[in-house]
Structure formats: structure tokens, C-alpha cells
Amino acid sequence: MKEIRENLEILKKEANNMEENSTLLKLINVIDLLTEKVEEVIVNQETMEENIRFMDTDLSGIQEELFEEVSLEDLEEIEDEYEEVNCKHCNNPIFIEKSALTNNEDITCPYCKENILK
Ligand SMILES: [Zn+2]
């Protein structure tokens, strides 16, 4: 951008020293305005890129926080291994490991202290 600016200044000086230079001067003014616009666009784009980088970092942070303790695979495994059973006595829902359900005939309810299975 600096190079374009410098060349533009040289052109302006040369055009000012020329006779019959009004068309050329108008042209240079147009280029001048375009250069300003391009500079604006570049600055905007840089700002946007920076914002996107910040957003990306924020999102990564949130993602890490969300999945730090429990991964999706872990969640699926938990769902596989546990089963919701309602206590036969108080009807409260209790999550119990499937293996515990098949291996035990007596499971104490945390709510009513009775055997949830009988
Ligand atoms: Zn119970």
C-alpha cells in the first residue's frame, strides 16, 4: 500500500507540471479515492480476521471446558452401562449398572432403604 501511495504522489506532481493536465488530474483523484477505499477495506478485513481469531479461541476454550471431563464416548458408555430402574417400593427412579442388576438380587434403594427389586 505504501508503494502505491508513493507512486500516486509522484504522478500528482508530474501531472501538476504538465500542461493540459485536467483529465489526468481527475484520473489521479479517482485513483486516490480508490486507494483510500482499498486501505479502508484492508483495515476492516484485518479487524474482522482478528475478531474471528478471538472467537475461535473463545470457542476452543468453551469446547475444552465442555468436553474436558466427559467425552461423547464416555457419555455413550455411561448410557450403555447404566439402566434406569424404578424402586418397587417408593417408585423413585434409580440409575444402576447393568452388571449390578444381573448379578445382585438385593439392591438397597437410596430413598426408602428397601430392596428396589422385590
Ligand atoms: Zn425405594
Side-chain angles (χ1 to χ4, degrees), residues 47-95:
T47 310
M48 264 160 55
E49 275 173 12
E50 207 174 308
N51 283 340
I52 288 170
R53 265 199 303 277
F54 281 136
M55 271 162 60
D56 202 35
T57 315
D58 280 355
L59 277 178
S60 307
I62 290 168
Q63 239 167 355
E64 269 167 33
E65 269 175 49
L66 277 174
F67 295 110
E68 201 171 29
E69 286 173 20
V70 185
S71 71
L72 276 176
E73 284 89 0
D74 286 342
L75 279 176
E76 275 166 21
E77 268 177 42
I78 289 168
E79 249 179 73
D80 281 348
E81 286 169 11
Y82 284 77
E83 203 173 303
E84 190 181 343
V85 178
N86 289 326
C87 172
K88 289 265 191 295
H89 300 274
C90 65
N91 208 36
N92 275 311
I94 299 141
F95 279 93

Side-chain angles (χ1 to χ4, degrees), residues 3 9 14 26 28 42 59 67 71 79 93 112 116:
E3 208 184 329
E9 288 308 312
E14 282 176 4
K26 277 178 200 159
I28 288 170
I42 288 173
L59 277 178
F67 295 110
S71 71
E79 249 179 73
C112 67
I116 64 165

Side-chain angles (χ1 to χ4, degrees), residues 85-91 94 96 101 103-109 112-118:
V85 178
N86 289 326
C87 172
K88 289 265 191 295
H89 300 274
C90 65
N91 208 36
I94 299 141
I96 293 174
L101 272 175
N103 297 333
N104 296 297
E105 285 189 0
D106 196 335
I107 297 169
T108 307
C109 172
C112 67
K113 309 294 176 202
E114 297 284 339
N115 181 1
I116 64 165
L117 299 172
K118 286 178 187 167

Side-chain angles (χ1 to χ4, degrees), residues 4-19:
I4 294 171
R5 276 258 170 246
E6 281 167 4
N7 283 322
L8 207 56
E9 288 308 312
I10 293 166
L11 264 177
K12 270 186 201 170
K13 273 179 200 156
E14 282 176 4
N16 279 324
N17 295 331
M18 283 163 97
E19 288 168 34

